[in-house]
Amino acid sequence: MRKISVIGIGAGNPDHITVQAIKALGQLDVVFVIDKGPEKDDLARLRRELCERYIAPRAYRMIEIPDPPRDRAPSRYEAAVEDWHERRSRLYEEAIASHLAESERGGLLVWGDPCLYDSTLRILDRILARGELAFEHEVIPGITSLQALTAAHRTTLNQIGGPVRITTGRRLREQGIGPAETVAVMLDGECAFNAVEGEDIEILWGAYVGGEKEILLSGPLAETAPEIESVRRDARDQHGWIMDAYLLRRRGEA
Ligand SMILES: C[S@@+](CC[C@H](N)C(=O)[O-])C[C@H]1O[C@@H](n2cnc3c(N)ncnc32)[C@H](O)[C@@H]1O
């Protein structure tokens, strides 16, 4: 039966790859590549470097799966995501069926870890549920962008015994921050931290964390927010894309 390894490759530093991931890469016949977003050149570079380091000189094939366009401002968000996942799953299914032989092993290389804000596993579940294509699959964990962020700031994710909420910029805007929690925010293209109020809140922000372009800023939210906004805008203009994440927490409780 076909085998698929979903491999977390870390959030931008090729040295973050685990030994388990290296072993899995070394067995691949086909690497499936999903090209999406303006950051794709940097993603492609990291992927190429990992394949050259850990698969070559063993022969492998690289197969590109196109990413269908997505409506970013739909009137019905859930329905739009459902439709997008369905179209993506059809394209994945087609690529696996046509390019991976029954006895072969394919790999899907996932930025960070597949468990965090990534749809690859849901898409594979959807293909299996349709029942038209059979394969075995395994998941190899990777270093998430949040681990890279906390390591870069030399801090912990949680306050002592405290809860952590991982959320998006959109939800942070709606829900704010509770009295004793840490909020880790990803997928925020709009600097939603500006909607959070509180003199005692600090922010630990990072862009391109773990990579060569890494930028880190931290401090009291009210003072640091304008600087982050301006640095963020300049970096995005310079590189054509940005990936950033941040922690918000009450000062003195780390
Ligand atoms: C689609 S999610 C993928 C997350 C990924 N699976 C993980 O484990 O980190 C993309 C979001 O992750 C965050 N992110 C990913 N890589 C990052 C990096 N190197 N530096 C800062 N944030 C990053 C950003 O918030 C970005 O909008």
Side-chain angles (χ1 to χ4, degrees):
M1 188 179 303
R2 293 177 174 92
K3 291 200 172 66
I4 295 189
S5 301
V6 182
I7 305 173
I9 58 171
N13 183 336
D15 288 346
H16 281 174
I17 194 111
T18 68
V19 175
Q20 191 186 10
I22 291 171
K23 286 184 184 164
L25 283 169
Q27 295 177 17
L28 297 184
D29 302 297
V30 179
V31 178
F32 292 100
V33 168
I34 296 94
D35 269 326
K36 51 179 174 181
E39 68 274 25
K40 68 179 177 194
D41 289 350
D42 285 74
L43 299 185
R45 197 170 312 122
L46 176 64
R47 215 163 30 216
R48 223 177 8 254
E49 186 174 336
L50 294 174
C51 293
E52 287 303 309
R53 263 205 223 173
Y54 300 120
I55 312 181
R58 188 167 179 274
Y60 66 96
R61 312 188 296 283
M62 186 115 25
I63 301 296
E64 222 171 274
I65 306 180
D67 200 39
R70 179 174 174 184
D71 184 356
R72 294 270 164 198
S75 50
R76 288 182 56 229
Y77 183 79
E78 278 77 20
V81 171
E82 163 69 21
D83 170 63
W84 186 56
H85 280 180
E86 180 61 21
R87 283 184 290 138
R88 292 179 89 194
S89 74
R90 294 276 173 197
L91 290 168
Y92 279 51
E93 183 166 352
E94 209 176 289
I96 295 166
S98 346
H99 297 286
L100 192 67
E102 279 289 337
S103 59
E104 286 187 321
R105 189 182 282 265
L108 286 158
L109 275 45
V110 173
W111 192 257
D113 185 273
C115 78
L116 192 60
Y117 288 116
D118 186 89
S119 50
T120 308
L121 297 179
R122 268 183 226 110
I123 286 172
L124 295 185
D125 287 345
R126 196 179 268 259
I127 297 172
L128 288 172
R130 271 201 292 269
E132 290 161 22
L133 179 75
F135 53 82
E136 287 173 2
H137 67 304
E138 63 171 0
V139 179
I140 316 280
I143 304 269
T144 67
S145 51
L146 292 182
Q147 290 165 289
L149 179 73
T150 49
H153 280 286
R154 293 171 295 171
T155 192
T156 56
L157 186 57
N158 63 293
Q159 298 163 5
I160 297 169
V164 177
R165 176 158 52 100
I166 301 175
T167 192
T168 61
R170 188 164 69 97
R171 291 206 185 271
L172 176 71
R173 229 175 249 286
E174 293 163 6
Q175 298 169 347
I177 172 171
E181 66 176 354
T182 296
V183 184
V185 185
M186 304 169 70
L187 292 161
D188 179 11
E190 309 286 336
C191 297
F193 48 76
N194 282 323
V196 175
E197 286 175 9
E199 287 301 308
D200 57 342
I201 295 175
E202 70 170 356
I203 184 165
L204 297 97
W205 176 85
Y208 318 103
V209 179
E212 286 164 6
K213 305 184 177 84
E214 178 177 280
I215 312 170
L216 301 172
L217 285 169
S218 61
L221 177 61
E223 286 167 32
T224 319
E227 188 184 357
I228 294 176
E229 216 173 337
S230 137
V231 167
R232 188 182 189 284
R233 192 170 39 242
D234 291 349
R236 197 191 46 208
D237 289 350
Q238 187 188 344
H239 302 302
W241 65 279
I242 190 158
M243 270 206 215
D244 61 333
Y246 51 93
L247 302 185
L248 294 173
R249 64 189 184 196
R250 310 239 172 226
R251 263 179 292 153
E253 293 183 22

